[in-house]
Amino acid sequence: MAVQQTQMLPPQYVEDLQKVLGTQFTALTTSPLDTSKFAPQVAAQDAAQTSAYNLATTQGQGIGAFQPYITQAGAYSGPSGYQSFMSPYQQDVIDATLSEYDTQAAQGLQGIANRATMSGNLGGGREGVMRAQYQNKSDMNRALLQSGLLQQGFTQANQLANQAFGQQQALAQQVPQLYGADIGTLRSAGAGQQGQAQAVLDAQREANRLEAYEPYERLGYQQSGVASIASGSPGQYQSMVTPNPTPLQNALGIASVAGGLMGNYGDYLRGSGQQ
């Protein structure tokens, strides 16, 4: 006895929609998706960041900016450090002072001779003793005056050398700090500009990604609509495109759309073959 089989087929317009979806799916998936348009990109360094790097790695500016001042400070230390600060007029002052002293000393000797003349002892032994005593004392005072002038010049030059040594040490600390401040400012400003450029790249990448996946999104929405019509119940559709998806999420999204379309299309083919 023949077995009669009853089969509920979808309306013709549903079959037509499924055929259209199948054709669209085949056309859409024939060519691979060009993912290069929304591949991650890193913004290049800003010119200020490059300047900061160049400044930081330039000898005497970033690296070793202290060295010239340490070297100069070394020249102001040690036994000969004072010599650069000796007054060029030091010897002139000494010579003028001693010349004046010698003039005064000669006047003192003349005074001894005058007194000896007045007392009738000019050229006598007493005058000779007085002249010798006066000359010895005068020579000693002259030597003390000269040494005092030399010591004064040395002390002043040594003080100036110590002062310059401290100044060079201070510069050895301050100059690198100033360079460091410039480097930090350039780096910070450059990072802000690079961040802005990166935001532009990210926004463009997201726009390209949305544009690339729009046909898949639209096809998925159509598939959901056809499925709901065929089942007679309201369909629910969830977008497969989310902000900044990972490559794995993209692959899973495409697979879900393809699986749904192929399932419905397979049902359609099986139904057509059994008519």
Side-chain angles (χ1 to χ4, degrees):
M1 182 176 63
V3 178
Q4 184 177 5
Q5 183 178 0
T6 304
Q7 185 177 7
M8 298 296 296
L9 298 176
Q12 184 61 43
Y13 69 90
V14 174
E15 293 185 7
D16 294 339
L17 288 173
Q18 289 176 334
K19 288 181 180 180
V20 172
L21 286 176
T23 302
Q24 292 179 351
F25 174 79
T26 302
L28 185 62
T29 57
T30 298
S31 300
L33 187 64
D34 183 9
T35 58
S36 63
K37 294 181 179 180
F38 47 93
Q41 298 184 57
V42 178
Q45 280 193 328
D46 184 75
Q49 290 174 301
T50 304
S51 297
Y53 173 81
N54 292 335
L55 188 62
T57 56
T58 299
Q59 188 70 29
Q61 294 181 352
I63 297 177
F66 60 87
Q67 189 59 52
Y69 306 99
I70 295 296
T71 302
Q72 189 62 47
Y76 298 147
S77 63
S80 60
Y82 73 95
Q83 292 179 353
S84 299
F85 298 92
M86 289 292 293
S87 171
Y89 307 105
Q90 180 75 14
Q91 192 59 47
D92 294 339
V93 173
I94 292 175
D95 292 344
T97 302
L98 293 179
S99 177
E100 179 63 23
Y101 180 86
D102 292 340
T103 299
Q104 297 297 328
Q107 291 178 358
L109 288 174
Q110 184 62 42
I112 293 174
N114 292 338
R115 288 193 294 272
T117 299
M118 293 175 62
S119 63
N121 292 320
L122 183 64
R126 185 177 180 182
E127 180 192 2
V129 172
M130 293 180 63
R131 290 175 68 87
Q133 290 178 342
Y134 179 86
Q135 188 66 51
N136 288 337
K137 185 176 181 180
S138 176
D139 290 345
M140 183 177 294
N141 289 338
R142 188 180 192 279
L144 289 174
L145 177 62
Q146 183 179 12
S147 65
L149 292 172
L150 291 173
Q151 181 63 39
Q152 182 181 359
F154 169 76
T155 300
Q156 181 179 3
N158 198 46
Q159 290 174 347
L160 292 174
N162 289 334
Q163 180 180 346
F165 180 84
Q167 291 172 340
Q168 294 300 314
Q169 282 190 319
L171 288 172
Q173 296 178 351
Q174 186 178 25
V175 170
Q177 291 176 356
L178 293 175
Y179 275 122
D182 286 345
I183 292 170
T185 301
L186 288 170
R187 183 185 296 116
S188 177
Q193 290 298 106
Q194 185 186 32
Q196 173 63 24
Q198 185 64 55
V200 172
L201 288 176
D202 291 343
Q204 185 60 52
R205 170 177 173 257
E206 181 66 11
N208 293 340
R209 187 184 64 82
L210 291 174
E211 181 181 359
Y213 280 95
E214 189 279 332
Y216 296 92
E217 180 84 0
R218 179 163 29 87
L219 193 61
Y221 183 78
Q222 292 174 346
Q223 182 267 339
S224 177
V226 172
S228 65
I229 293 174
S231 64
S233 60
Q236 295 182 352
Y237 176 69
Q238 183 176 359
S239 174
M240 72 171 184
V241 178
T242 56
N244 298 321
T246 64
L248 177 60
Q249 289 173 329
N250 287 337
L252 292 177
I254 295 174
S256 65
V257 173
L261 291 174
M262 290 302 294
N264 290 335
Y265 193 57
D267 291 341
Y268 164 75
L269 293 176
R270 286 192 295 271
S272 299
Q274 294 174 355
Q275 280 186 336

